[in-house]
Every structure is written in C-alpha cells, then in structure tokens.
Amino acid sequence: MPDSMKAVVLTRFGGPEAFEFMDVPVSAVGSRQVRVRVHATAVNPLDYQIRRGDYPELVPLPTIIGHDVSGVIEDIGRECTSHRRVSAIAVALHGQCCRHVAMSPCRHVAMSPWRIGVGAAMRATYALYRN
C-alpha cells in the first residue's frame, strides 16, 4: 500500500470551487475497520450540505466528504470477523469516501453480489439506507 493517495479535499465552504485534488496520507487499518479501494463514489444531499457550510461546527476543515462508495476490500482489521479480504465488491456507508482508498467501520460495510458491478453496488447504498 502506498504512503499517499489522491483525494478530493474540501478546503473551505462554498461551491464546487471549494474542492482541491490533493495527495493525502493513507491511514493504517484500525482493528474494527476495513480499507476499501474505491471504484465509484456518489454525492448525496449530506455531502452538498457540508460543502455549502450547513454544519460548520461539526465539520472541521480541511476534510474529505463522501458517504457512499463501492469498491474492493483491500485490508481488514483484526476484529472484523464478518468480512474477508477478497476481490469482491463492497459497499461502504461512511464518510470521507471521495478518495482512492476509503476507511470504514466494519459494521458499515455490506458485501454485494459478485456479478452486479460497481455501478449497481453504488446504487445499492440508497436501498441499504432505507432499510
């Protein structure tokens, strides 16, 4: 795993111009986390509300937004017993997903069927939020 990756970083509140494409460090996986190699990410209403500054007291800047992602599990913390490191597509439901690699608590990751592809897995995040 490289020491850094590319990410879309929100450096100030405002419009789309508030984002910068930057190199950021890759964190080590915590004992209850998985690391997902991001293939697709989406912008949901919370993401644009954060971007425009609706929650400045809750979101310190700079930050990486994004709450919906699909990709491949690359690494798993030692206490994550319900997932395994495979080339399966995963759906992570957690913040800071607008990057090449996202970290997520184990409980926020759902394995998707092998054959649906990353686009369909991305759409599945909305169904998981509703249930």
Side-chain angles (χ1 to χ4, degrees):
M1 170 89 335
D3 294 336
S4 67
M5 66 181 156
K6 294 291 186 186
V8 178
V9 180
L10 183 65
T11 58
R12 64 190 182 283
F13 297 117
E17 69 283 350
F19 291 109
E20 293 183 33
F21 198 54
M22 303 171 73
D23 287 315
V24 298
V26 176
S27 303
V29 175
S31 64
R32 294 182 181 179
Q33 290 183 316
V34 297
R35 183 170 48 227
V36 177
R37 169 72 56 184
V38 175
H39 287 226
T41 188
V43 175
N44 72 31
L46 180 57
D47 297 319
Y48 69 74
Q49 291 165 357
I50 290 170
R51 186 209 70 211
R52 70 183 180 202
D54 290 7
Y55 311 103
E57 68 284 351
L58 299 176
V59 182
L61 296 178
T63 191
I64 301 168
I65 64 170
H67 289 80
D68 307 303
V69 64
S70 65
V72 175
I73 292 179
E74 282 193 336
D75 201 1
I76 299 174
R78 68 182 184 285
E79 293 182 42
C80 288
T81 57
S82 58
H83 301 299
R84 56 194 166 99
R85 187 174 179 234
V86 294
S87 357
I89 295 167
V91 177
L93 307 174
H94 193 58
Q96 299 198 342
C97 294
C98 292
R99 55 167 94 201
H100 287 164
V101 177
M103 305 296 276
S104 181
C106 300
R107 68 183 185 280
H108 292 179
V109 175
M111 297 306 292
S112 61
W114 276 94
R115 292 187 170 92
I116 69 169
V118 293
M122 186 72 259
R123 291 187 296 278
T125 62
Y126 298 106
L128 288 168
Y129 274 134
R130 287 188 201 136
N131 295 326

